[in-house]
Amino acid sequence: MEYREFGTTGLKISELTFGGGAVGGLLINQDDETRRRAIGLALEAGINWFDTAPAYGNGKSEQALGWLLEEMDEKPHISTKFTIDTRNPDLYGQIEQGLNASLERLKLKKVTLLQLHNPIGARTEKRTIGLSEVLKPYGVLDILDEFKSQGLIDHYGITALGDTTALTRVIKSNRIASAQVYFNLLNPSAAMTPPPSWPCYNFTGIVDTCFEHGVAPMNIRVFSAGIIATEARTGRESPLNAGDSIESETAKATHIFERIGDTGETRVQTAIRFALAHPRFATTIVGLAEIEHLKEALTAQALGPLPSSALESINNAYGNFGA
C-alpha cells in the first residue's frame, strides 16, 4: 500500500479508503462474518482510513464499524459526516446531536475527521446549505472549531458537491482540512478539463484550489455509483450532479470502454488506476458490496496508476464523444 499526505495535517493515509456507503453497501447489507473478513483484509493490506456517515443505512454503517473495529488490534482513522436540516435554524444543536450519535455508534471518543454532508451553494435551498451559513460568525465552521477544541474531532471538512464557486470560497477560507471531491472517468473536471464535447457537471479548479490551500482532496464516486464498475444494475445507482442520469452516465461509460478497448483488466481496475494517476488526491474512497470487490481494488492499487498511453486513449475518447 502506498501512502499520501493528507493536506497539511501531518497525517499520511492509504491511497485507498474503505468506503462504508449505501451504494456498495457491504457494511450495511452483508452478514457479520463477511463484514469482519472484509475489514480484516483491508487492515492487513495497509488501508488505514475508513469513511462512513449516519446517512449510510440509517446509522448501520457506523454501527457496524463500531463493533467490528472494536475487535481489531489496529485502529484506523475514521471519517464520518453530519447533515444539516436547512429548515432548522439550530445549527449548533443539530451538529452536536449528530456528532454525539455518531460517536456512540462508532464506539469512539473522537473521530479523525468530521465532514459536512450537504451540498454547498450560493443560497440555502432544499438540501443545499448556503455559503453564508457555512462561513458566517457562529456558522458551521465556527461550530466545528468548537468541537475540535473539545477534542471530539481532530479535523473537519466538506463534501465538495453543489456550486463550484461557493465550494471554492470555502476551500479558500483556509479553515477546512479536507474536501470530498467528485472525480471519475465520467467526470474528471475537478482535476482536469475535458474537451467541450464531453458533457459533465463543471467542477473545474476544485483540486488545484485544494492543493494551493493545503486542503486534502478525497476522491468520491470513483465508480459513479457502480455505473462505471459494471453493466449490471442494482437499483442503488444514484447520480449526484445536475444533468446526470443513469442513462446518460451509462452511455458515457459505454463510450469510454469501447474506445479504450480490451486492456486485460476489469472496469473497476481501470477506474481506480485512473484515479491513482492524479497525485493531488490524498486518497480514493472505494465503495464495496462484497469481499471480491475489495480484492479487485487492492489488485488495481498494486498495479499502480494508469500509464500515459492509457490516459491518452481516455482523453481521445472524451474528444470524439458524439462523433
Side-chain angles (χ1 to χ4, degrees):
M1 181 61 59
E2 298 291 330
Y3 297 84
R4 299 187 180 188
E5 300 286 343
F6 193 70
T8 55
T9 64
L11 298 174
K12 283 199 170 184
I13 76 167
S14 50
E15 60 183 7
L16 293 187
T17 284
F18 188 112
V23 175
L26 185 147
L27 292 179
I28 300 164
N29 302 317
Q30 288 285 4
D31 61 87
D32 291 349
E33 185 54 32
T34 299
R35 292 186 288 185
R36 182 180 286 110
R37 286 170 53 211
I39 290 175
L41 175 60
L43 292 172
E44 182 182 348
I47 291 176
N48 69 354
W49 197 290
F50 287 68
D51 182 72
T52 184
Y56 301 159
N58 293 318
K60 289 182 179 178
S61 176
E62 289 183 323
Q63 194 171 44
L65 276 179
W67 71 264
L68 286 163
L69 286 173
E70 197 174 40
E71 298 179 352
M72 309 288 176
D73 293 331
E74 295 180 66
K75 303 302 176 187
H77 298 289
I78 302 293
S79 53
T80 192
K81 308 173 186 75
F82 65 95
T83 300
I84 294 293
D85 180 349
T86 58
R87 301 165 297 179
N88 182 351
D90 183 11
L91 294 177
Y92 189 98
Q94 290 191 69
I95 299 172
E96 179 182 45
Q97 183 178 10
L99 174 57
N100 286 336
S102 288
L103 291 174
E104 183 175 351
R105 285 189 291 267
L106 289 163
K107 299 183 182 296
L108 294 172
K109 293 182 179 179
K110 70 172 183 176
V111 289
T112 300
L113 179 70
L114 182 66
Q115 302 156 104
L116 173 66
H117 212 173
N118 299 68
I120 300 172
R123 63 189 63 85
T124 297
E125 183 179 11
K126 297 181 180 178
R127 188 172 175 270
T128 297
I129 189 167
L131 176 66
S132 62
E133 295 297 298
V134 178
L135 295 179
K136 72 181 183 181
Y138 308 109
V140 171
L141 299 192
D142 277 1
I143 293 166
L144 292 172
D145 275 330
E146 183 161 339
F147 292 128
K148 185 176 178 181
S149 70
Q150 293 175 16
L152 298 175
I153 60 177
D154 288 335
H155 307 284
Y156 59 79
I158 63 170
T159 301
L161 295 173
D163 177 71
T164 302
T165 300
L167 295 167
T168 300
R169 286 276 304 278
V170 178
I171 294 166
K172 288 182 175 180
S173 72
N174 295 318
R175 298 185 63 185
I176 62 173
S178 68
Q180 290 205 326
V181 177
Y182 192 102
F183 175 84
N184 56 46
L185 278 165
L186 308 186
N187 188 342
S189 63
M192 55 178 281
T193 303
S197 58
W198 187 254
C200 63
Y201 189 88
N202 186 7
F203 289 113
T204 297
I206 291 288
V207 171
D208 285 346
T209 304
C210 284
F211 183 78
E212 291 162 6
H213 291 268
V215 174
M218 305 174 75
N219 181 6
I220 61 171
R221 292 287 177 128
V222 69
F223 304 133
S224 186
I227 292 171
I228 293 172
T230 176
E231 294 179 343
R233 296 290 169 256
T234 65
R236 298 194 296 274
E237 295 82 9
S238 54
L240 292 178
N241 299 315
D244 289 345
S245 66
I246 293 174
E247 292 75 19
S248 67
E249 295 291 271
T250 297
K252 289 192 288 184
T254 299
H255 175 81
I256 289 277
F257 287 106
E258 283 180 350
R259 293 307 184 277
I260 63 177
D262 184 6
T263 61
E265 60 188 38
T266 67
R267 290 166 60 133
V268 163
Q269 290 166 346
T270 299
I272 291 174
R273 296 183 70 199
F274 176 75
L276 295 177
H278 295 270
R280 288 188 169 178
F281 280 103
T283 190
T284 293
I285 299 173
V286 179
L288 310 161
E290 52 191 73
I291 289 179
E292 291 306 314
H293 295 168
L294 176 58
K295 292 178 180 178
E296 195 171 4
L298 292 171
T299 298
Q301 186 275 328
L303 289 170
L306 283 179
S308 57
S309 58
L311 295 175
E312 183 177 353
S313 295
I314 292 166
N315 285 330
N316 289 338
Y318 294 146
N320 60 32
F321 185 69

mmCIF file of all heavy atoms in Angstrom, residues 173-215:
data_model
loop_
_atom_site.group_PDB
_atom_site.id
_atom_site.type_symbol
_atom_site.label_atom_id
_atom_site.label_comp_id
_atom_site.label_asym_id
_atom_site.label_seq_id
_atom_site.Cartn_x
_atom_site.Cartn_y
_atom_site.Cartn_z
ATOM 1 N N SER A 173 -11.010 29.607 2.300
ATOM 2 C CA SER A 173 -11.088 30.192 3.646
ATOM 3 C C SER A 173 -9.917 29.771 4.527
ATOM 4 O O SER A 173 -9.699 30.341 5.596
ATOM 5 C CB SER A 173 -12.402 29.780 4.321
ATOM 6 O OG SER A 173 -12.380 28.398 4.687
ATOM 7 N N ASN A 174 -9.178 28.738 4.091
ATOM 8 C CA ASN A 174 -8.030 28.209 4.856
ATOM 9 C C ASN A 174 -8.442 27.673 6.226
ATOM 10 O O ASN A 174 -7.661 27.691 7.173
ATOM 11 C CB ASN A 174 -6.944 29.280 5.017
ATOM 12 C CG ASN A 174 -6.322 29.672 3.706
ATOM 13 O OD1 ASN A 174 -6.041 28.821 2.862
ATOM 14 N ND2 ASN A 174 -6.118 30.965 3.495
ATOM 15 N N ARG A 175 -9.656 27.142 6.294
ATOM 16 C CA ARG A 175 -10.144 26.635 7.574
ATOM 17 C C ARG A 175 -10.395 25.132 7.572
ATOM 18 O O ARG A 175 -10.345 24.509 8.626
ATOM 19 C CB ARG A 175 -11.435 27.366 7.963
ATOM 20 C CG ARG A 175 -11.233 28.866 8.155
ATOM 21 C CD ARG A 175 -12.483 29.540 8.645
ATOM 22 N NE ARG A 175 -12.870 29.050 9.957
ATOM 23 C CZ ARG A 175 -13.995 29.418 10.571
ATOM 24 N NH1 ARG A 175 -14.826 30.249 9.991
ATOM 25 N NH2 ARG A 175 -14.282 28.934 11.781
ATOM 26 N N ILE A 176 -10.668 24.569 6.418
ATOM 27 C CA ILE A 176 -11.020 23.152 6.384
ATOM 28 C C ILE A 176 -9.787 22.298 6.091
ATOM 29 O O ILE A 176 -8.833 22.757 5.466
ATOM 30 C CB ILE A 176 -12.130 22.866 5.355
ATOM 31 C CG1 ILE A 176 -11.675 23.205 3.930
ATOM 32 C CG2 ILE A 176 -13.403 23.628 5.711
ATOM 33 C CD1 ILE A 176 -12.668 22.793 2.840
ATOM 34 N N ALA A 177 -9.830 21.051 6.550
ATOM 35 C CA ALA A 177 -8.711 20.126 6.328
ATOM 36 C C ALA A 177 -8.899 19.299 5.068
ATOM 37 O O ALA A 177 -7.914 18.831 4.491
ATOM 38 C CB ALA A 177 -8.556 19.196 7.526
ATOM 39 N N SER A 178 -10.157 19.097 4.651
ATOM 40 C CA SER A 178 -10.398 18.152 3.560
ATOM 41 C C SER A 178 -11.629 18.546 2.766
ATOM 42 O O SER A 178 -12.498 19.293 3.238
ATOM 43 C CB SER A 178 -10.598 16.738 4.123
ATOM 44 O OG SER A 178 -11.810 16.685 4.859
ATOM 45 N N ALA A 179 -11.707 17.989 1.557
ATOM 46 C CA ALA A 179 -12.895 18.127 0.718
ATOM 47 C C ALA A 179 -13.099 16.812 -0.016
ATOM 48 O O ALA A 179 -12.175 16.312 -0.668
ATOM 49 C CB ALA A 179 -12.728 19.266 -0.282
ATOM 50 N N GLN A 180 -14.281 16.230 0.122
ATOM 51 C CA GLN A 180 -14.595 15.024 -0.638
ATOM 52 C C GLN A 180 -15.028 15.462 -2.030
ATOM 53 O O GLN A 180 -16.057 16.116 -2.205
ATOM 54 C CB GLN A 180 -15.679 14.215 0.063
ATOM 55 C CG GLN A 180 -15.181 13.582 1.355
ATOM 56 C CD GLN A 180 -15.952 12.340 1.746
ATOM 57 O OE1 GLN A 180 -17.145 12.230 1.505
ATOM 58 N NE2 GLN A 180 -15.269 11.392 2.371
ATOM 59 N N VAL A 181 -14.221 15.105 -3.029
ATOM 60 C CA VAL A 181 -14.323 15.664 -4.376
ATOM 61 C C VAL A 181 -14.827 14.610 -5.355
ATOM 62 O O VAL A 181 -14.275 13.512 -5.441
ATOM 63 C CB VAL A 181 -12.949 16.201 -4.839
ATOM 64 C CG1 VAL A 181 -13.029 16.714 -6.268
ATOM 65 C CG2 VAL A 181 -12.458 17.295 -3.892
ATOM 66 N N TYR A 182 -15.853 14.972 -6.108
ATOM 67 C CA TYR A 182 -16.406 14.089 -7.139
ATOM 68 C C TYR A 182 -15.430 14.020 -8.305
ATOM 69 O O TYR A 182 -15.120 15.030 -8.940
ATOM 70 C CB TYR A 182 -17.753 14.641 -7.599
ATOM 71 C CG TYR A 182 -18.561 13.689 -8.448
ATOM 72 C CD1 TYR A 182 -19.621 12.982 -7.895
ATOM 73 C CD2 TYR A 182 -18.284 13.504 -9.801
ATOM 74 C CE1 TYR A 182 -20.377 12.105 -8.669
ATOM 75 C CE2 TYR A 182 -19.023 12.631 -10.578
ATOM 76 C CZ TYR A 182 -20.073 11.939 -10.007
ATOM 77 O OH TYR A 182 -20.808 11.067 -10.765
ATOM 78 N N PHE A 183 -14.944 12.807 -8.611
ATOM 79 C CA PHE A 183 -13.976 12.643 -9.689
ATOM 80 C C PHE A 183 -14.002 11.201 -10.156
ATOM 81 O O PHE A 183 -13.888 10.276 -9.343
ATOM 82 C CB PHE A 183 -12.566 12.997 -9.195
ATOM 83 C CG PHE A 183 -11.490 12.748 -10.216
ATOM 84 C CD1 PHE A 183 -11.195 13.699 -11.186
ATOM 85 C CD2 PHE A 183 -10.775 11.562 -10.225
ATOM 86 C CE1 PHE A 183 -10.207 13.461 -12.138
ATOM 87 C CE2 PHE A 183 -9.790 11.317 -11.167
ATOM 88 C CZ PHE A 183 -9.502 12.280 -12.130
ATOM 89 N N ASN A 184 -14.157 11.013 -11.457
ATOM 90 C CA ASN A 184 -14.096 9.668 -12.021
ATOM 91 C C ASN A 184 -13.924 9.758 -13.532
ATOM 92 O O ASN A 184 -13.821 10.858 -14.099
ATOM 93 C CB ASN A 184 -15.335 8.848 -11.636
ATOM 94 C CG ASN A 184 -16.638 9.519 -12.038
ATOM 95 O OD1 ASN A 184 -16.784 10.008 -13.159
ATOM 96 N ND2 ASN A 184 -17.606 9.549 -11.121
ATOM 97 N N LEU A 185 -13.897 8.604 -14.184
ATOM 98 C CA LEU A 185 -13.730 8.540 -15.639
ATOM 99 C C LEU A 185 -14.800 9.328 -16.389
ATOM 100 O O LEU A 185 -14.550 9.834 -17.484
ATOM 101 C CB LEU A 185 -13.787 7.082 -16.100
ATOM 102 C CG LEU A 185 -12.519 6.244 -15.981
ATOM 103 C CD1 LEU A 185 -12.877 4.773 -16.120
ATOM 104 C CD2 LEU A 185 -11.513 6.645 -17.053
ATOM 105 N N LEU A 186 -15.997 9.427 -15.812
ATOM 106 C CA LEU A 186 -17.100 10.097 -16.494
ATOM 107 C C LEU A 186 -17.138 11.591 -16.221
ATOM 108 O O LEU A 186 -17.707 12.345 -17.009
ATOM 109 C CB LEU A 186 -18.445 9.464 -16.095
ATOM 110 C CG LEU A 186 -18.544 7.946 -16.235
ATOM 111 C CD1 LEU A 186 -19.960 7.490 -15.959
ATOM 112 C CD2 LEU A 186 -18.081 7.494 -17.615
ATOM 113 N N ASN A 187 -16.556 12.001 -15.099
ATOM 114 C CA ASN A 187 -16.467 13.431 -14.797
ATOM 115 C C ASN A 187 -15.136 13.718 -14.115
ATOM 116 O O ASN A 187 -15.023 13.690 -12.895
ATOM 117 C CB ASN A 187 -17.616 13.896 -13.908
ATOM 118 C CG ASN A 187 -17.623 15.414 -13.748
ATOM 119 O OD1 ASN A 187 -16.618 16.086 -13.999
ATOM 120 N ND2 ASN A 187 -18.751 15.968 -13.346
ATOM 121 N N PRO A 188 -14.108 14.014 -14.923
ATOM 122 C CA PRO A 188 -12.787 14.299 -14.368
ATOM 123 C C PRO A 188 -12.537 15.785 -14.156
ATOM 124 O O PRO A 188 -11.420 16.200 -13.893
ATOM 125 C CB PRO A 188 -11.858 13.756 -15.460
ATOM 126 C CG PRO A 188 -12.592 14.078 -16.730
ATOM 127 C CD PRO A 188 -14.068 13.941 -16.405
ATOM 128 N N SER A 189 -13.604 16.613 -14.254
ATOM 129 C CA SER A 189 -13.412 18.061 -14.354
ATOM 130 C C SER A 189 -12.781 18.681 -13.113
ATOM 131 O O SER A 189 -12.175 19.749 -13.198
ATOM 132 C CB SER A 189 -14.745 18.755 -14.645
ATOM 133 O OG SER A 189 -15.675 18.561 -13.590
ATOM 134 N N ALA A 190 -12.910 18.045 -11.949
ATOM 135 C CA ALA A 190 -12.326 18.617 -10.733
ATOM 136 C C ALA A 190 -10.808 18.660 -10.785
ATOM 137 O O ALA A 190 -10.178 19.495 -10.137
ATOM 138 C CB ALA A 190 -12.779 17.829 -9.501
ATOM 139 N N ALA A 191 -10.202 17.756 -11.556
ATOM 140 C CA ALA A 191 -8.741 17.677 -11.602
ATOM 141 C C ALA A 191 -8.165 17.930 -12.985
ATOM 142 O O ALA A 191 -6.958 18.127 -13.118
ATOM 143 C CB ALA A 191 -8.266 16.306 -11.115
ATOM 144 N N MET A 192 -8.991 17.903 -14.017
ATOM 145 C CA MET A 192 -8.527 18.159 -15.377
ATOM 146 C C MET A 192 -9.717 18.672 -16.181
ATOM 147 O O MET A 192 -10.867 18.420 -15.825
ATOM 148 C CB MET A 192 -7.967 16.894 -16.026
ATOM 149 C CG MET A 192 -8.923 15.724 -16.016
ATOM 150 S SD MET A 192 -8.304 14.245 -16.816
ATOM 151 C CE MET A 192 -8.585 14.670 -18.534
ATOM 152 N N THR A 193 -9.457 19.378 -17.254
ATOM 153 C CA THR A 193 -10.542 19.964 -18.041
ATOM 154 C C THR A 193 -10.794 19.112 -19.274
ATOM 155 O O THR A 193 -9.962 19.081 -20.194
ATOM 156 C CB THR A 193 -10.190 21.392 -18.470
ATOM 157 O OG1 THR A 193 -9.921 22.161 -17.303
ATOM 158 C CG2 THR A 193 -11.349 22.026 -19.225
ATOM 159 N N PRO A 194 -11.940 18.405 -19.311
ATOM 160 C CA PRO A 194 -12.254 17.623 -20.515
ATOM 161 C C PRO A 194 -12.645 18.557 -21.657
ATOM 162 O O PRO A 194 -13.024 19.713 -21.422
ATOM 163 C CB PRO A 194 -13.430 16.758 -20.064
ATOM 164 C CG PRO A 194 -14.080 17.526 -18.974
ATOM 165 C CD PRO A 194 -12.990 18.291 -18.288
ATOM 166 N N PRO A 195 -12.594 18.077 -22.905
ATOM 167 C CA PRO A 195 -12.981 18.932 -24.031
ATOM 168 C C PRO A 195 -14.466 19.278 -23.989
ATOM 169 O O PRO A 195 -15.256 18.585 -23.347
ATOM 170 C CB PRO A 195 -12.635 18.074 -25.253
ATOM 171 C CG PRO A 195 -12.588 16.681 -24.754
ATOM 172 C CD PRO A 195 -12.143 16.755 -23.331
ATOM 173 N N PRO A 196 -14.863 20.360 -24.689
ATOM 174 C CA PRO A 196 -16.276 20.779 -24.672
ATOM 175 C C PRO A 196 -17.241 19.708 -25.163
ATOM 176 O O PRO A 196 -18.421 19.730 -24.804
ATOM 177 C CB PRO A 196 -16.284 21.993 -25.615
ATOM 178 C CG PRO A 196 -14.890 22.503 -25.606
ATOM 179 C CD PRO A 196 -14.017 21.294 -25.447
ATOM 180 N N SER A 197 -16.750 18.758 -25.963
ATOM 181 C CA SER A 197 -17.622 17.702 -26.488
ATOM 182 C C SER A 197 -18.058 16.711 -25.416
ATOM 183 O O SER A 197 -18.995 15.933 -25.633
ATOM 184 C CB SER A 197 -16.902 16.946 -27.609
ATOM 185 O OG SER A 197 -15.683 16.382 -27.130
ATOM 186 N N TRP A 198 -17.374 16.722 -24.261
ATOM 187 C CA TRP A 198 -17.668 15.743 -23.208
ATOM 188 C C TRP A 198 -18.610 16.374 -22.188
ATOM 189 O O TRP A 198 -18.229 17.292 -21.466
ATOM 190 C CB TRP A 198 -16.389 15.281 -22.530
ATOM 191 C CG TRP A 198 -16.600 14.158 -21.554
ATOM 192 C CD1 TRP A 198 -16.569 14.232 -20.199
ATOM 193 C CD2 TRP A 198 -16.889 12.798 -21.868
ATOM 194 N NE1 TRP A 198 -16.823 12.998 -19.641
ATOM 195 C CE2 TRP A 198 -17.018 12.099 -20.651
ATOM 196 C CE3 TRP A 198 -17.041 12.102 -23.074
ATOM 197 C CZ2 TRP A 198 -17.302 10.737 -20.597
ATOM 198 C CZ3 TRP A 198 -17.327 10.745 -23.021
ATOM 199 C CH2 TRP A 198 -17.451 10.069 -21.796
ATOM 200 N N PRO A 199 -19.854 15.891 -22.056
ATOM 201 C CA PRO A 199 -20.825 16.531 -21.162
ATOM 202 C C PRO A 199 -20.651 16.083 -19.713
ATOM 203 O O PRO A 199 -20.698 14.894 -19.403
ATOM 204 C CB PRO A 199 -22.164 16.045 -21.719
ATOM 205 C CG PRO A 199 -21.857 14.702 -22.333
ATOM 206 C CD PRO A 199 -20.436 14.771 -22.828
ATOM 207 N N CYS A 200 -20.433 17.039 -18.825
ATOM 208 C CA CYS A 200 -20.374 16.724 -17.397
ATOM 209 C C CYS A 200 -20.516 18.002 -16.593
ATOM 210 O O CYS A 200 -20.218 19.091 -17.079
ATOM 211 C CB CYS A 200 -19.081 15.995 -17.021
ATOM 212 S SG CYS A 200 -17.558 16.925 -17.288
ATOM 213 N N TYR A 201 -20.966 17.848 -15.351
ATOM 214 C CA TYR A 201 -21.068 18.985 -14.442
ATOM 215 C C TYR A 201 -19.670 19.550 -14.209
ATOM 216 O O TYR A 201 -18.705 18.794 -14.078
ATOM 217 C CB TYR A 201 -21.682 18.532 -13.118
ATOM 218 C CG TYR A 201 -22.042 19.667 -12.184
ATOM 219 C CD1 TYR A 201 -23.289 20.276 -12.271
ATOM 220 C CD2 TYR A 201 -21.145 20.118 -11.222
ATOM 221 C CE1 TYR A 201 -23.628 21.311 -11.418
ATOM 222 C CE2 TYR A 201 -21.473 21.156 -10.374
ATOM 223 C CZ TYR A 201 -22.715 21.749 -10.472
ATOM 224 O OH TYR A 201 -23.043 22.781 -9.634
ATOM 225 N N ASN A 202 -19.573 20.871 -14.130
ATOM 226 C CA ASN A 202 -18.259 21.519 -14.124
ATOM 227 C C ASN A 202 -17.742 21.755 -12.703
ATOM 228 O O ASN A 202 -18.245 22.626 -11.995
ATOM 229 C CB ASN A 202 -18.342 22.844 -14.879
ATOM 230 C CG ASN A 202 -16.981 23.503 -15.037
ATOM 231 O OD1 ASN A 202 -15.946 22.919 -14.709
ATOM 232 N ND2 ASN A 202 -16.972 24.707 -15.551
ATOM 233 N N PHE A 203 -16.731 20.969 -12.309
ATOM 234 C CA PHE A 203 -16.042 21.180 -11.032
ATOM 235 C C PHE A 203 -14.625 21.736 -11.246
ATOM 236 O O PHE A 203 -13.758 21.576 -10.387
ATOM 237 C CB PHE A 203 -15.941 19.860 -10.258
ATOM 238 C CG PHE A 203 -17.249 19.363 -9.699
ATOM 239 C CD1 PHE A 203 -17.827 18.201 -10.200
ATOM 240 C CD2 PHE A 203 -17.893 20.034 -8.674
ATOM 241 C CE1 PHE A 203 -19.025 17.724 -9.681
ATOM 242 C CE2 PHE A 203 -19.087 19.569 -8.149
ATOM 243 C CZ PHE A 203 -19.659 18.413 -8.660
ATOM 244 N N THR A 204 -14.404 22.395 -12.364
ATOM 245 C CA THR A 204 -13.065 22.844 -12.738
ATOM 246 C C THR A 204 -12.425 23.683 -11.627
ATOM 247 O O THR A 204 -13.032 24.599 -11.082
ATOM 248 C CB THR A 204 -13.122 23.686 -14.027
ATOM 249 O OG1 THR A 204 -13.595 22.852 -15.080
ATOM 250 C CG2 THR A 204 -11.745 24.212 -14.391
ATOM 251 N N GLY A 205 -11.184 23.338 -11.327
ATOM 252 C CA GLY A 205 -10.388 24.108 -10.372
ATOM 253 C C GLY A 205 -10.448 23.634 -8.941
ATOM 254 O O GLY A 205 -9.666 24.098 -8.098
ATOM 255 N N ILE A 206 -11.344 22.708 -8.608
ATOM 256 C CA ILE A 206 -11.513 22.291 -7.215
ATOM 257 C C ILE A 206 -10.228 21.673 -6.659
ATOM 258 O O ILE A 206 -9.755 22.043 -5.580
ATOM 259 C CB ILE A 206 -12.683 21.298 -7.077
ATOM 260 C CG1 ILE A 206 -14.026 21.994 -7.341
ATOM 261 C CG2 ILE A 206 -12.681 20.647 -5.698
ATOM 262 C CD1 ILE A 206 -14.472 22.934 -6.268
ATOM 263 N N VAL A 207 -9.640 20.718 -7.372
ATOM 264 C CA VAL A 207 -8.456 20.032 -6.845
ATOM 265 C C VAL A 207 -7.263 20.979 -6.763
ATOM 266 O O VAL A 207 -6.520 20.971 -5.775
ATOM 267 C CB VAL A 207 -8.136 18.779 -7.682
ATOM 268 C CG1 VAL A 207 -6.786 18.183 -7.290
ATOM 269 C CG2 VAL A 207 -9.228 17.731 -7.499
ATOM 270 N N ASP A 208 -7.063 21.796 -7.785
ATOM 271 C CA ASP A 208 -5.952 22.755 -7.746
ATOM 272 C C ASP A 208 -6.112 23.731 -6.590
ATOM 273 O O ASP A 208 -5.134 24.071 -5.910
ATOM 274 C CB ASP A 208 -5.861 23.530 -9.064
ATOM 275 C CG ASP A 208 -5.278 22.693 -10.195
ATOM 276 O OD1 ASP A 208 -4.704 21.621 -9.902
ATOM 277 O OD2 ASP A 208 -5.402 23.108 -11.360
ATOM 278 N N THR A 209 -7.339 24.182 -6.337
ATOM 279 C CA THR A 209 -7.576 25.104 -5.221
ATOM 280 C C THR A 209 -7.300 24.414 -3.890
ATOM 281 O O THR A 209 -6.717 25.014 -2.975
ATOM 282 C CB THR A 209 -9.020 25.637 -5.267
ATOM 283 O OG1 THR A 209 -9.257 26.254 -6.534
ATOM 284 C CG2 THR A 209 -9.256 26.657 -4.166
ATOM 285 N N CYS A 210 -7.711 23.155 -3.775
ATOM 286 C CA CYS A 210 -7.383 22.388 -2.557
ATOM 287 C C CYS A 210 -5.872 22.355 -2.350
ATOM 288 O O CYS A 210 -5.379 22.605 -1.242
ATOM 289 C CB CYS A 210 -7.922 20.968 -2.676
ATOM 290 S SG CYS A 210 -9.701 20.788 -2.440
ATOM 291 N N PHE A 211 -5.135 22.035 -3.398
ATOM 292 C CA PHE A 211 -3.680 21.926 -3.302
ATOM 293 C C PHE A 211 -3.062 23.257 -2.878
ATOM 294 O O PHE A 211 -2.168 23.304 -2.019
ATOM 295 C CB PHE A 211 -3.114 21.485 -4.648
ATOM 296 C CG PHE A 211 -1.621 21.277 -4.649
ATOM 297 C CD1 PHE A 211 -1.062 20.132 -4.112
ATOM 298 C CD2 PHE A 211 -0.775 22.236 -5.187
ATOM 299 C CE1 PHE A 211 0.308 19.942 -4.107
ATOM 300 C CE2 PHE A 211 0.596 22.064 -5.195
ATOM 301 C CZ PHE A 211 1.142 20.902 -4.648
ATOM 302 N N GLU A 212 -3.545 24.348 -3.444
ATOM 303 C CA GLU A 212 -2.990 25.673 -3.140
ATOM 304 C C GLU A 212 -3.251 26.096 -1.701
ATOM 305 O O GLU A 212 -2.494 26.897 -1.140
ATOM 306 C CB GLU A 212 -3.594 26.703 -4.097
ATOM 307 C CG GLU A 212 -3.124 26.546 -5.540
ATOM 308 C CD GLU A 212 -4.026 27.253 -6.532
ATOM 309 O OE1 GLU A 212 -4.958 27.971 -6.088
ATOM 310 O OE2 GLU A 212 -3.807 27.087 -7.750
ATOM 311 N N HIS A 213 -4.299 25.542 -1.082
ATOM 312 C CA HIS A 213 -4.675 25.969 0.268
ATOM 313 C C HIS A 213 -4.492 24.860 1.306
ATOM 314 O O HIS A 213 -5.029 24.961 2.420
ATOM 315 C CB HIS A 213 -6.118 26.487 0.265
ATOM 316 C CG HIS A 213 -6.270 27.773 -0.489
ATOM 317 N ND1 HIS A 213 -6.183 29.009 0.117
ATOM 318 C CD2 HIS A 213 -6.445 28.017 -1.813
ATOM 319 C CE1 HIS A 213 -6.319 29.960 -0.795
ATOM 320 N NE2 HIS A 213 -6.480 29.390 -1.970
ATOM 321 N N GLY A 214 -3.723 23.842 0.959
ATOM 322 C CA GLY A 214 -3.383 22.804 1.936
ATOM 323 C C GLY A 214 -4.533 21.916 2.337
ATOM 324 O O GLY A 214 -4.502 21.299 3.412
ATOM 325 N N VAL A 215 -5.567 21.836 1.494
ATOM 326 C CA VAL A 215 -6.743 21.008 1.772
ATOM 327 C C VAL A 215 -6.579 19.659 1.083
ATOM 328 O O VAL A 215 -6.170 19.590 -0.079
ATOM 329 C CB VAL A 215 -8.022 21.718 1.280
ATOM 330 C CG1 VAL A 215 -9.245 20.813 1.419
ATOM 331 C CG2 VAL A 215 -8.236 23.022 2.044
#
